[in-house]
Amino acid sequence: MLRLLSKMLLWVTGWKVVGEFPSSNHVVVVAPHTSNWDFIIGRSMAYSLRLNAKFLAKSQLFFFPVSFIFKFLGGIPVDRTKNNDLVSFAIDLL
């Protein structure tokens, strides 16, 4: 269902997927953000390519009831107020 909705959203907004990822393990860095649509277009691309994509986001975004949606979409909260060795955490995720 999400794949179909994603393909429709990409089509309506004029985006198209060309090609595919050659393997299943990739790191994609999306920065700097140009608009709030970056997240929606990125998730739509991931769903249309059938990728099991996860994303890191600041923990302040994960509040009730939005936290359920972000976690369902693959979100992982990051507490940026502490030095928590984020690089090692990201490597462990891979």
Side-chain angles (χ1 to χ4, degrees):
M1 180 68 169
L2 285 175
R3 185 170 190 244
L4 178 62
L5 289 173
S6 296
K7 285 187 167 199
M8 287 177 21
L9 176 70
L10 292 172
W11 178 76
V12 167
T13 57
W15 288 86
K16 63 181 176 178
V17 178
V18 178
E20 57 188 44
F21 282 98
S23 67
S24 60
N25 289 332
H26 292 283
V27 175
V28 177
V29 178
V30 182
H33 304 291
T34 56
S35 76
N36 291 332
W37 281 96
D38 292 347
F39 175 77
I40 296 167
I41 298 299
R43 290 307 300 166
S44 296
M45 289 285 185
Y47 284 127
S48 67
L49 291 169
R50 293 189 170 142
L51 299 176
N52 183 19
K54 305 285 185 205
F55 63 93
L56 303 175
K58 62 183 180 178
S59 59
Q60 291 86 352
L61 295 174
F62 289 80
F63 59 88
F64 181 81
V66 180
S67 61
F68 294 113
I69 297 168
F70 280 142
K71 288 180 182 178
F72 173 76
L73 294 174
I76 301 169
V78 174
D79 186 359
R80 299 185 309 165
T81 62
K82 299 177 184 172
N83 183 6
N84 51 14
D85 198 12
L86 185 57
V87 173
S88 294
F89 176 70
I91 290 170
D92 291 341
L93 288 174
L94 289 173

